[in-house]
Amino acid sequence: MTGFDIPIRRVLTIAGSDSGGGAGIQADLKAFAACRVHGMTAITAITAQSTVGVDAIEAVSPAMILAQVRSVARDIGVDAVKIGMLGTAATIGAVARALDELDEIAAAGGPPIVLDPVMVSESGARLLEPDARRALIDELLPRVTVATPNLPEARVLAGAGEEEQDAAALARAVHALGPRVVIVTGGHRSEAADLFYDGRQIVEISGQRHPTGAAHGSGCTHSSVLAARLALGDAPLDAARVARRRAGEAVRDGLRSIGAGAGPVDILGIA
């Protein structure tokens, strides 16, 4: 390696598989490739899923989740982690233990962690069991670098009512649960802007809404780009700006002709 070479960054996604290829692990790997980082996976659940809905979900055992993380961490190494669909309290416990082991393996502190608190799919299927929400709050939120809830997810995490629309207040409430940074994503906000809060400043990251695009996998894509940019050395606010832009472009260029339902985003320029 010469002085001009940049080491390949390695990003691990811990998330569920989408058999339709639009969201989950599949969307994460596409986003990692688009960001020119090496993607690795620890699959938490297998879904039978299409553009119109989720037909079945089968959780991967906690032991297997741990085994996947151990295999890649000990051989390849991990520069950043993205966490997506978890599903059950047992899965969350396994992921928390895996993060402990990553901290032990790392020479100078653990890698940055991005948590996308996936609760409901684009088609409306529940992807996080009600009794797992407390485990998510207690075991994962305090240790992550960035949490990226959408507006409904932020309400659940903050214990707010469905009528709560103040994204800044929700960002502060979720931040109080422990993550270093909270980004309330703009897909469910009238302004279509992400709201960044790091405990010191509130920053609105504006972007265009693309109502004629295809949005399946947009949240996964956003959080995966964010994790990749952190692995590449960006500060959280810079990474958040890139993630907002790339996710918006992926929705704009989304594959509307794929399937009968919400088409998948396109971050690779397939169309």
Side-chain angles (χ1 to χ4, degrees):
M1 186 172 71
T2 72
F4 296 100
D5 291 326
I6 299 174
I8 296 172
R9 300 302 179 185
R10 307 147 300 177
V11 186
L12 170 65
T13 170
I14 305 175
S17 170
D18 174 358
S19 57
I25 288 281
Q26 289 80 359
D28 298 342
L29 289 176
K30 293 173 194 175
F32 294 159
C35 292
R36 303 183 65 82
V37 300
H38 176 66
M40 304 167 292
T41 65
I43 298 176
T44 59
I46 300 169
T47 70
Q49 185 173 171
S50 66
T51 64
V52 296
V54 178
D55 297 316
I57 299 173
E58 185 171 305
V60 172
S61 73
M64 187 59 186
I65 294 168
L66 272 170
Q68 293 174 84
V69 176
R70 286 169 177 161
S71 289
V72 299
R74 291 172 179 171
D75 173 46
I76 301 170
V78 178
D79 295 307
V81 177
K82 176 265 172 83
I83 301 172
M85 176 187 172
L86 296 170
T88 70
T91 295
I92 291 169
V95 172
R97 182 174 174 185
L99 296 180
D100 286 338
E101 295 189 9
L102 285 177
D103 286 345
E104 293 170 2
I105 293 170
I113 300 164
V114 175
L115 172 63
D116 179 13
V118 177
M119 296 180 184
V120 178
S121 73
E122 186 80 16
S123 62
R126 179 180 290 174
L127 301 179
L128 183 70
E129 294 179 356
D131 64 352
R133 294 175 182 174
R134 177 46 54 186
L136 181 73
I137 291 168
D138 292 344
E139 298 184 47
L140 292 184
L141 271 181
R143 65 188 309 157
V144 305
T145 309
V146 185
T148 63
N150 58 33
L151 198 64
E153 291 162 349
R155 290 192 198 107
V156 171
L157 294 174
E162 292 186 5
E163 72 285 351
E164 177 59 73
Q165 298 292 327
D166 188 338
L170 289 170
R172 290 188 176 95
V174 175
H175 186 269
L177 298 173
R180 284 173 47 198
V181 175
V182 175
I183 301 170
V184 179
T185 58
H188 292 75
R189 300 183 62 212
S190 58
E191 303 89 349
D194 292 352
L195 202 69
F196 174 100
Y197 180 61
D198 62 0
R200 301 183 305 276
Q201 59 177 338
I202 289 275
V203 179
E204 190 164 88
I205 304 173
S206 61
Q208 290 184 314
R209 190 180 296 281
H210 301 287
T212 62
H216 184 50
S218 58
C220 303
T221 299
H222 176 277
S223 54
S224 293
V225 171
L226 182 59
R229 293 307 309 181
L230 292 176
L232 290 165
D234 282 4
L237 181 55
D238 293 331
R241 288 186 168 123
V242 174
R244 174 64 186 86
R245 175 176 59 81
R246 295 298 299 272
E249 292 169 350
V251 171
R252 179 197 66 197
D253 301 333
L255 305 175
R256 294 178 293 279
S257 64
I258 297 294
V265 300
D266 178 14
I267 196 170
L268 293 176
I270 295 172

